[in-house]
Amino acid sequence: MTQAIHNLSRRHFLQGSAGLTLGLALPAFAAKGAKTATAVGSVAAFEPTPFLSIGADNSVTVISKHLEMGQGTYTGLATIVAEELDAAWSQVRVDGAPADAKRYNNLAFGPMQGTGGSTAMANSWDQLRQTGAVARAMLVAAAAKRWNVPAAEIGVRDGVVSHAASKHRATFGELAEAAAAEAVPASVPLKDPKDFSLVGKHAPRKDSFAKTNGTAQFTQDVHLPGMLVAVVAHPPRFGGKVKSFDASKTKAVKGVVDVVAIPNGVAVLAKDTWSAKKGRDALSVEWDDSAAFKLGSDEIFARYHALAQTPGLIARKDGDGDAALAGAAKIVKASYDFPYLAHAAMEPMNCVVQFTGDSLEVWNGEQFQTVDQGNLAALFGLPPEKVNIHMLYAGGSFGRRACTDSDYVKEAASIVKAAGTRAPVKMVWLREDDTKGGYYRPQFHHAMEAALNADGSIRAWRHRLVGQSIAKGSPFEGFMIKDGVDGLSVEGAASLPYGIPNLQVELHTPSDITVPVLWWRSVGSTHTAYSTETFLDKLAAESKQDPVALRLKLLDKHPRHAGVLRLAAEKAGWGTPLAKGKPGERRGRGVAVHESFHSYVAQVAEVTVQADGSVRVDRVVTAVDCGVAINPDVIRAQVEGSVGFALSAALHGEITLKDGVVEQGNFGEYAPIRINEMPKTEVYIVPSAEKPTGIGEPAVPPVAPSVANAIAAATGKWLTRLPFRSDELKA
């Protein structure tokens, strides 16, 4: 999601993290002691904090305040708790938390519950270590009283509490009720990292088994008594409205129950999805496009190119870039075009809503609990606590389900309200609805200019960006936009780590482009990393310097950037010749390094360019520094997935508009890479004692520029428009 949110989190987190953790995050740490509750199957449970329940059946349940959407959150959070608790990994399970910001506040977001910005591990690390350690201390205290032995002599391992001298032993389940009667300790010691037995080791994922045997519950799996399914006809243009509609043919379709107008379209309710779709196909709607957005992608770019010829708002200014450029002997320029991109998660948008008369029940792959809860409460005139959100698995998101407008969730609730029904309603978007439904990575144009000294050193660097603001109009506008500059638009550019004496970053944010935009996996860094890293390679070529050597020279004050760069270069064999390709093939190796979400990633790509201009990415070597590696296997999986995700965009991804209408619909027109396009991927993790940071997003930004730099090394051609086009690379 967003670097700006994450930056805010670091400021809060560093301002007395212990007080913040115990005061905000663990309200159950009260003098009255822990709560004894009734868990599934009427098993008495010991609940020392809102994040942990230990049952009399010896189950250890970690309550995740974060959505599991494939990124390994459930596994990572459970690992932190189990480590300090000394639980056996086999006895640990994970449940999603309800919507309740008072108990499940994301410390990175302020008083709000939600998942994004690669914050799950970072904001939970201290919180969940405390949770596990507190529960362990209370179990030990209960055992010491029961056995009449000193607590200091009691050990815990793999879910068993024991006293060696007396040979007493008990499971967590056997001690749960007694532990619940103990006072919650005000402070507890945490493990020395050298004693970790789970953190940093391989632990099987907690969601894999359910996802392979079909028991995992996604929104599409929800089936409730009397439930209706809704499919919506949306206006073809953003800002369009329903003028009139004829539902006579729709109501004749077997299974159709009702047809209702909602603020953003016409909903067909039926007994099943297929009947709802057939009913929508039969629907006749006349749209009012008088206030709709009607520009095409090329027209948007034309406006952006014109704006880039004029100075923008200053996002960063070191030295005097204008003067340094004006007096330079050698100027190098480049400009870049980046298209709109869809999130294209495997599970399209869907949501189940039921109005009971005095409350609202919601089942959803829920990413922004507090935002959605507030928006739904306002829609129905309810207090937020009367909106009960059941968090299910999500089949991907990449930022799409973290919509500050609560668009698809509100749409589902609007259908229930318009139909006046007490039946549960499952709203389903088909793939085409999702692709054309708006909220894209913004389209952007970048204009770059640099001055080189006679010795090849970079004298000045000016970077001018043009594109829509994501934060404008959102609840985050107040702290994400400063002096008119949206931090999401310039992140990665304004935070450029290279030691350049005269550096200036400017931003234009056009207000007349109204295509819905949203954070997309790694947000602004998805385009800024490409322009900055390929432009730097271009400067290296102009000054006849090795790209890795030049970067290291410019990163002398950034050891973590330099550390991943050295590791990736070493593992990739930088400087050694590549094996020759077949006749007509050209091969190259390229590098990129980037920081996002306080994680550092360097990548080296190897490519083969065919005579017809087609590109095959043969190998991607990644070095990552994300602090303490909680689950190395999850980190590797996220990096591998990031490589595939980023290559999908670089090789194929493009949402285009014609007369304001999105031209792509299904995967035939908006294609992810196929398995035969996936390169050999190697992942190397830098050992670190720093607190864990994010990994769901940071490996995305350097992929495309490392590949582009490899293409340039092979062909001498710099690709400045994405996705890559083979006609630019024909021999």
Side-chain angles (χ1 to χ4, degrees), residues 229-248:
V229 177
V231 173
V232 178
H234 298 108
R237 291 183 174 88
F238 303 115
K241 301 291 183 182
V242 177
K243 188 173 184 179
S244 63
F245 68 94
D246 181 355
S248 56

Side-chain angles (χ1 to χ4, degrees), residues 193 234 580 615 634:
H234 298 108
K580 289 185 178 180
V615 175
V634 170

Side-chain angles (χ1 to χ4, degrees), residues 65-271:
K65 63 182 180 181
H66 292 289
L67 172 65
E68 175 58 77
M69 46 189 159
Q71 80 279 42
T73 290
Y74 277 13
T75 302
L77 298 180
T79 301
I80 301 170
V81 175
E83 179 65 75
E84 293 291 345
L85 182 60
D86 281 311
W89 189 242
S90 59
Q91 74 184 124
V92 178
R93 62 189 294 267
V94 186
D95 281 346
D100 184 350
K102 291 180 181 178
R103 289 187 295 165
Y104 300 113
N105 174 40
N106 184 327
L107 303 181
F109 292 179
M112 177 187 147
Q113 184 181 358
T115 303
S118 294
T119 60
M121 298 305 122
N123 95 97
S124 300
W125 173 247
D126 287 338
Q127 185 179 66
L128 294 189
R129 290 188 74 189
Q130 290 277 348
T131 284
V134 162
R136 183 187 190 279
M138 295 171 73
L139 288 163
V140 167
K145 285 183 180 178
R146 179 175 293 183
W147 301 332
N148 195 27
V149 299
E153 295 179 4
I154 292 176
V156 185
R157 183 176 179 180
D158 291 337
V160 176
V161 184
S162 61
H163 182 250
S166 65
K167 297 184 179 180
H168 285 300
R169 64 193 310 276
T171 65
F172 288 174
E174 291 168 337
L175 291 168
E177 188 174 353
E182 294 292 322
V184 178
S187 63
V188 287
L190 300 177
K191 278 188 180 180
D192 188 309
K194 68 179 177 57
D195 298 323
F196 285 161
S197 59
L198 281 173
V199 170
K201 310 296 191 298
H202 172 72
R205 284 182 62 137
K206 286 299 176 185
D207 55 336
S208 294
F209 188 66
K211 288 178 177 177
T212 52
N213 69 9
T215 59
Q217 288 290 300
F218 296 83
T219 308
Q220 200 61 27
D221 297 314
V222 174
H223 297 283
L224 301 171
M227 186 179 78
L228 299 174
V229 177
V231 173
V232 178
H234 298 108
R237 291 183 174 88
F238 303 115
K241 301 291 183 182
V242 177
K243 188 173 184 179
S244 63
F245 68 94
D246 181 355
S248 56
K249 292 181 180 178
T250 296
K251 291 180 177 179
V253 174
K254 184 180 179 181
V256 170
V257 174
D258 200 0
V259 181
V260 295
I262 57 174
N264 59 326
V266 181
V268 178
L269 292 94
K271 294 181 179 179

Side-chain angles (χ1 to χ4, degrees), residues 400-683:
R400 181 61 183 89
R401 288 180 178 268
C403 182
T404 57
D405 298 330
S406 304
D407 70 313
Y408 74 95
V409 177
K410 277 177 63 176
E411 179 171 288
S414 296
I415 296 167
V416 170
K417 186 175 183 180
T421 181
R422 299 294 174 88
V425 173
K426 180 195 291 183
M427 184 209 68
V428 176
W429 281 18
L430 308 183
R431 175 61 56 191
E432 291 80 3
D433 300 321
D434 201 31
T435 305
K436 293 178 179 292
Y439 295 94
Y440 307 105
R441 196 283 303 270
Q443 181 171 311
F444 257 87
H445 174 70
H446 295 213
M448 313 282 291
E449 193 171 2
L452 296 178
N453 292 317
D455 63 358
S457 60
I458 304 173
R459 175 179 177 173
W461 172 293
R462 184 167 64 200
H463 189 170
R464 194 170 285 163
L465 303 91
V466 187
Q468 286 174 262
S469 167
I470 292 172
K472 184 70 175 174
S474 80
F476 305 110
E477 179 178 347
F479 68 87
M480 283 187 180
I481 297 180
K482 184 178 180 182
D483 298 326
V485 174
D486 185 344
L488 301 177
S489 297
V490 296
E491 59 184 0
S495 57
L496 196 73
Y498 298 120
I500 299 170
N502 300 289
L503 191 151
Q504 190 161 307
V505 180
E506 304 171 18
L507 175 67
H508 285 285
T509 305
S511 59
D512 59 342
I513 308 299
T514 56
V515 177
V517 294
L518 190 61
W519 21 68
W520 186 91
R521 194 176 186 179
S522 65
V523 203
S525 289
T526 61
H527 48 95
T528 60
Y530 188 90
S531 59
T532 57
E533 287 298 292
T534 58
F535 191 56
L536 188 62
D537 251 46
K538 186 176 178 69
L539 297 181
E542 290 280 349
S543 58
K544 296 180 172 54
Q545 297 186 70
D546 177 82
V548 170
L550 175 59
R551 284 173 171 81
L552 289 173
K553 184 165 59 176
L554 296 172
L555 290 170
D556 60 324
K557 295 181 180 178
H558 295 271
R560 295 180 77 178
H561 287 84
V564 291
L565 179 58
R566 287 193 182 95
L567 181 57
E570 173 198 339
K571 296 298 184 182
W574 187 267
T576 62
L578 283 168
K580 289 185 178 180
K582 298 175 183 177
E585 292 183 340
R586 294 158 289 170
R587 303 203 67 217
R589 184 187 280 131
V591 66
V593 60
H594 192 77
E595 175 199 356
S596 56
F597 310 99
H598 301 287
S599 291
Y600 306 81
V601 180
Q603 286 166 331
V604 176
E606 296 174 5
V607 306
T608 299
V609 182
Q610 308 290 344
D612 65 358
S614 60
V615 175
R616 183 180 73 240
V617 184
D618 302 308
R619 181 188 183 206
V620 174
V621 177
T622 302
V624 56
D625 178 354
C626 57
V628 171
I630 297 172
N631 289 97
D633 188 56
V634 170
I635 292 172
R636 291 189 185 94
Q638 279 302 288
V639 172
E640 290 164 357
S642 295
V643 169
F645 186 85
L647 285 179
S648 293
L651 298 177
H652 308 303
E654 185 174 29
I655 290 292
T656 57
L657 283 74
K658 185 175 182 180
D659 300 325
V661 177
V662 173
E663 296 184 288
Q664 292 72 29
N666 213 311
F667 286 137
E669 305 91 41
Y670 192 82
I673 64 166
R674 306 300 181 182
I675 192 67
N676 64 300
E677 297 175 281
M678 188 68 187
K680 178 183 179 183
T681 305
E682 301 169 33
V683 183

